[in-house]
Amino acid sequence: MATVKRVDAMPALVEQLLTELGEDPSREGLRATPARVTRALRELTDGYDTDVAQIFAGAVFEQDYDEMVVVRDIPFYSLCEHHMLPFFGACHVGYLPRGKVVGLSKIPRLVGVFAHRLQLQERMTKEIAEALNSAVEPRGVGVVVEARHLCMEMRGVQKTGGQLITSCMLGTFRRDARTRAEFLELVRRA
Ligand SMILES: [Zn+2]
């Protein structure tokens, strides 16, 4: 597989990167670093290897429940695709079932799979919403993501802090102001 080949190439690339940074890759403390960085980057991008449909396989159930389901404060860690630096925070996911519900552990799993790719927060938010929407076919889906971006916080003169908040509303969450308001009310800190 192509993946196996990339595992072999990466430590040498990291070693070269260390040299470019003015380091001596052969010094004691850095000797295992190329292998460690490789393992860390593989882990943090293992979302590419996961088929999203597989997450929901066997976990979507017929259920006569039509109240809003909300999973709040799902922690996530991702890497921004512009700088490959971490952005992280909390994701809130809600949906309004239409005869089908999904096993609750699957929603954090879904967030994790999209977070473990090089991402834009805006796109990740939309991908989570759309994946849930096509798997469960609910009346609507809402996703809110709040995150800190280290590429903003660590770089530059201004050290811009604060959270970036993105949202994606589909179906009734988009069309119906009351549904959206109920969701945002549930998501807001108690
Ligand atoms: Zn960035």
Side-chain angles (χ1 to χ4, degrees):
M1 269 168 43
T3 318
V4 175
K5 207 171 149 201
R6 281 190 293 151
V7 171
D8 294 334
M10 200 184 287
L13 292 170
V14 176
E15 196 176 322
Q16 204 181 331
L17 182 62
L18 288 169
T19 307
E20 287 296 326
L21 291 172
E23 268 293 354
D24 169 14
S26 68
R27 77 175 167 84
E28 179 81 43
L30 290 178
R31 223 168 285 159
T33 297
R36 284 195 209 99
V37 171
T38 298
R39 280 198 301 277
L41 282 177
R42 289 288 170 219
E43 183 187 337
L44 298 178
T45 58
D46 62 9
Y48 289 116
D49 300 327
T50 308
D51 178 9
V52 171
Q54 274 305 111
I55 300 174
F56 293 109
V60 178
F61 311 102
E62 305 276 325
Q63 182 67 253
D64 190 19
Y65 181 79
D66 61 359
E67 297 297 322
M68 190 177 293
V69 178
V70 175
V71 186
R72 217 180 73 168
D73 294 322
I74 302 165
F76 76 89
Y77 297 86
S78 189
L79 294 172
C80 82
E81 69 179 20
H82 293 154
H83 306 93
M84 293 176 72
L85 287 172
F87 71 98
F88 58 97
C91 179
H92 316 290
V93 178
Y95 68 100
L96 203 53
R98 175 164 38 201
K100 284 193 274 185
V101 296
V102 63
L104 280 190
S105 68
K106 302 300 174 182
I107 292 178
R109 173 96 180 95
L110 179 69
V111 171
V113 163
F114 284 116
H116 273 201
R117 299 176 182 188
L118 298 185
Q119 275 291 9
L120 292 175
Q121 184 179 331
E122 295 86 340
R123 188 179 64 227
M124 187 182 85
T125 307
K126 194 161 169 257
E127 284 175 343
I128 293 165
E130 285 173 349
L132 184 63
N133 198 46
S134 48
V136 188
E137 298 173 317
R139 292 181 202 283
V141 172
V143 176
V144 172
V145 177
E146 307 171 284
R148 289 175 54 192
H149 288 248
L150 292 190
C151 64
M152 281 166 63
E153 296 190 24
M154 295 173 75
R155 298 166 54 250
V157 191
Q158 284 173 311
K159 305 272 191 293
T160 336
Q163 302 225 330
L164 179 61
I165 301 178
T166 50
S167 70
C168 179
M169 304 287 164
L170 303 175
T172 47
F173 284 64
R174 174 175 284 274
R175 286 192 305 270
D176 179 20
R178 270 175 50 197
T179 303
R180 190 167 57 243
E182 183 188 344
F183 172 61
L184 293 175
E185 190 60 38
L186 289 168
V187 157
R188 212 159 283 152
R189 318 241 138 228

